[in-house]
Amino acid sequence: MTPRGHQGGHLEGRTAAQTLVAALGRRRFLQAALGVGAGSALAAGAAVPAAAASPTSGSAAQAGRGAGAAHDAGAGRGSGRYSGILQPGKGRIRGDVYLGSDTDDVLWGYVPSVHADAVTRVRSGRTITIDSVSHEGILEDQGRDPVGYFAEHGVRRREVLDDAVAIADGYSRTARNFDVDGPHVVTGPVFVEGAEPGDVLKIETLEATPRVPYGVVSSRHGKGALAATAAGAPAGITLDEVMPPVATDGRDSGIPTEYGNVSVFAEVRGDHATMGSGRGRVRFPLRTFFGMMGVAYAETTNLTAPEANSIPPTLGGGNIDISHLGAGSTFYLPISAEGALFYVGDPHMAMGDGEVALTAMEGSLRGTFRLTVCKPGSGDAPSVAYSYPFAETADAWIPIGLSDPDGAVGGQLSDLDVAMRRAVVNALDFLEHDHGLDRAVAYAYLSAAADFAVSQVVDRTVGVHGLIRKSDLG
C-alpha cells in the first residue's frame, strides 16, 4: 500500500528526515528519496490489486473479474461468521482493490479532512476490500500491547493480528493523548474517481467478516449511558448506579492503566459470541458491521483538530454506529471533497441499539465495499442523501438524525430530542419528495407504522435512526 500524505504543518523537534517520514509515510518518503513521484504511485493504484494481495489465496483468479461479478461473489457472504484468522492481505480478497491498515498510513483517533491525501483510489462502481483494525486491545488503558493483553484471555500470538501489533508498537503520525484523542484506528482515505462536492457516495457493504475469534466490550469512566459527570451523578440515577462504579475511578492518577476502566472479553465460535463464565455466561449472535464509514467533511489542515476527532459522527458520516449497516446494506453520504475521501474504522462484531456501555463488541473485520458516485438529478440516491446521511437495507429505508451534525464545531450538543426531530424530518422529506406522499399523510404513516430507535448515546453527538418498511410503499 502506498502511504498517504500529511494534511499540513510539521512536527517540531524532529530532524527533516523524521518530519518527512511522519508526513508522507515511510514508503512514500523512500519513493521520494528514490525519485519516484507519489502521484505516479497513487495513479498506479496505491493499494495492492486484489489479485496480488495473497498469492496463495486463490484470489488471482479474480484479477479480471468485473465489478458486477465482485458484487455477486461478495454480497452477504462470509459475513457474521468467523472461519479463521485473517492476517493482513491473507486469505480470500473479494474486492477489485485491497487496502490494509499500515502503521504509516492510518490515523489513530482522528478522521481525514477534505485536505487529506488519499492512500489509494478506485473507479466509481468498483469494489475495495479493507482489513480494518479494532482499537480494543491496543489502547493505552489496556497497556498498548495486544499480544500481552490478549494472552491474559488465552489468545495465542498467532491469533493476534500483525497489523494491530504494529500499530500499537509503532504508530507515530500523531502524538497520542488518551484523554483527548478518539480511540479508533481509521483506515483510508480512498479517492473515488469522478466524485465531486455536491455528489453522493453510495457505499454498499458486501462483506464484514471477523478477522479474529474474539472481541472486547469496554466501559470507561466518564463515558457511556451511566457515566458520572463533573457535577456527580447524571439526572435520573444515583452515584451508586453509575457505571463503572465511582469508587473504582482512578483517572486522577494520570496513568491510563490505573484508570479503573472495564473491558469484557468475548469469545467467538462460528456466528455466536459468549462472555462471562459459569451460570453468569451469556451467548448471543454476531451482527458484524462497521461502526465508522465516512467521507471527508472537516475543513481543517491540522491532523488532530477537534473537528477531526473520530468520536462524533457528522454530515460526512464517520462514527455513525447504526447496527443495520452490515453486509447487504447501503449507506449514502453527501460529498464535500474531490474524490469523496472514503474511510472506515470502528469494526463491530455485535452491537445493541444505544451502545450503552460505551463500545459495541469491538473486533477487527475484513470489509468489502462497492463505492459508487451518484450525481445530482440522476435518481441514483435518495434526495435527502445530498444533504444528510441516509441508508437502506433490503427491507427498509433508514432516515438518520444527529444531535450535532457538524461535530465539534461550535461546541457539542448531545440531545436525543434534537436527533429524533431531525430523523423524523428527514423521513418526511424522503416520503414526500421521493415517494409522492402528502406530508400530513407521511407524518401519520410514520406514527402508525415506522420504528425510530436510538443508534447510540455515547459518541458526544448522539443519533437516532428510523426504519421504514419498503413493502409499505409499494
Side-chain angles (χ1 to χ4, degrees):
M1 183 177 77
T2 301
R4 57 179 292 267
H6 185 48
Q7 292 176 316
H10 66 277
L11 302 177
E12 297 179 357
R14 295 191 178 200
T15 65
Q18 287 173 319
T19 300
L20 285 171
V21 169
L24 300 174
R26 187 165 287 108
R27 272 171 280 184
R28 184 170 287 175
F29 169 74
L30 292 174
Q31 288 171 342
L34 292 170
V36 179
S40 63
L42 183 60
V48 181
S54 177
T56 61
S57 70
S59 58
Q62 304 174 48
R65 183 183 64 198
H71 182 277
D72 294 341
R77 295 180 57 186
S79 299
R81 172 178 286 275
Y82 171 74
S83 57
I85 297 292
L86 293 175
Q87 291 289 1
K90 303 298 183 182
R92 184 178 182 187
I93 306 296
R94 301 179 185 274
D96 299 310
V97 173
Y98 169 78
L99 178 63
S101 293
D102 283 7
T103 304
D104 293 334
D105 302 330
V106 298
L107 280 171
W108 193 351
Y110 295 88
V111 299
S113 80
V114 297
H115 303 291
D117 292 331
V119 297
T120 191
R121 64 195 301 147
V122 297
R123 284 183 288 172
S124 176
R126 301 306 289 263
T127 58
I128 183 168
T129 293
I130 300 176
D131 274 338
S132 69
V133 172
S134 174
H135 51 277
E136 291 297 327
I138 72 171
L139 285 171
E140 289 82 355
D141 64 341
Q142 296 161 333
R144 200 163 163 171
D145 174 14
V147 174
Y149 176 80
F150 287 119
E152 296 176 1
H153 299 283
V155 177
R156 295 166 291 185
R157 171 59 185 90
R158 67 179 181 83
E159 295 176 315
V160 180
L161 295 175
D162 294 341
D163 41 5
V165 173
I167 292 167
D169 179 62
Y171 178 81
S172 61
R173 287 197 66 204
T174 57
R176 283 286 298 167
N177 182 336
F178 180 70
D179 296 322
V180 175
D181 301 339
H184 312 101
V185 175
V186 180
T187 305
V190 177
F191 187 100
V192 183
E193 295 179 5
E196 299 173 319
D199 297 341
V200 162
L201 186 65
K202 178 181 179 181
I203 305 157
E204 297 171 83
T205 298
L206 309 180
E207 171 192 17
T209 301
R211 298 180 63 196
V212 292
Y214 51 82
V216 176
V217 181
S218 288
S219 176
R220 296 185 166 95
H221 286 286
K223 301 174 182 179
L226 301 182
T229 68
I237 66 172
T238 68
L239 273 179
D240 289 339
E241 294 170 319
V242 164
M243 291 290 285
V246 173
T248 66
D249 191 343
R251 286 177 290 171
D252 287 345
S253 69
I255 304 171
T257 53
E258 297 180 7
Y259 280 10
N261 296 331
V262 178
S263 294
V264 176
F265 183 83
E267 180 183 1
V268 172
R269 292 188 178 180
D271 58 1
H272 279 72
T274 58
M275 60 175 63
S277 60
R279 296 185 63 184
R281 191 175 182 87
V282 62
R283 180 175 182 267
F284 52 93
L286 297 186
R287 191 177 185 182
T288 58
F289 73 101
F290 284 81
M292 175 181 291
M293 294 184 285
V295 296
Y297 174 74
E299 295 284 347
T300 183
T301 58
N302 180 355
L303 285 174
T304 58
E307 57 266 41
N309 192 288
S310 67
I311 295 175
T314 67
L315 291 180
N319 194 28
I320 205 78
D321 282 333
I322 294 177
S323 61
H324 299 279
L325 299 185
S329 69
T330 302
F331 190 32
Y332 300 92
L333 291 173
I335 293 172
S336 299
E338 183 182 2
L341 301 181
F342 171 71
Y343 61 86
V344 301
D346 196 26
H348 290 170
M349 291 189 173
M351 191 191 88
D353 288 343
E355 200 180 16
V356 294
L358 174 63
T359 81
M361 179 181 162
E362 311 281 340
S364 298
L365 300 176
R366 173 170 292 174
T368 299
F369 310 90
R370 179 186 306 285
L371 305 178
T372 304
V373 177
C374 303
K375 296 293 183 179
S378 66
D380 294 334
S383 59
V384 175
Y386 287 90
S387 60
Y388 214 95
F390 202 87
E392 66 172 304
T393 66
D395 303 318
W397 296 104
I398 305 178
I400 296 165
L402 301 172
S403 64
D404 197 347
D406 63 358
V409 177
Q412 198 85 52
L413 180 65
S414 301
D415 189 331
L416 276 173
D417 287 343
V418 172
M420 179 67 175
R421 293 181 196 117
R422 177 47 53 190
V424 173
V425 168
N426 286 343
L428 286 175
D429 288 346
F430 170 70
L431 292 173
E432 180 181 11
H433 300 308
D434 294 43
H435 287 274
L437 271 68
D438 176 83
R439 201 168 182 88
V441 172
Y443 199 27
Y445 162 75
L446 293 175
S447 192
D451 293 321
F452 286 83
V454 175
S455 308
Q456 50 74 26
V457 294
V458 296
D459 294 339
R460 301 178 185 170
T461 291
V462 297
V464 168
H465 64 270
L467 293 174
I468 300 172
R469 286 185 299 271
K470 290 181 175 180
S471 59
D472 291 353
L473 301 178

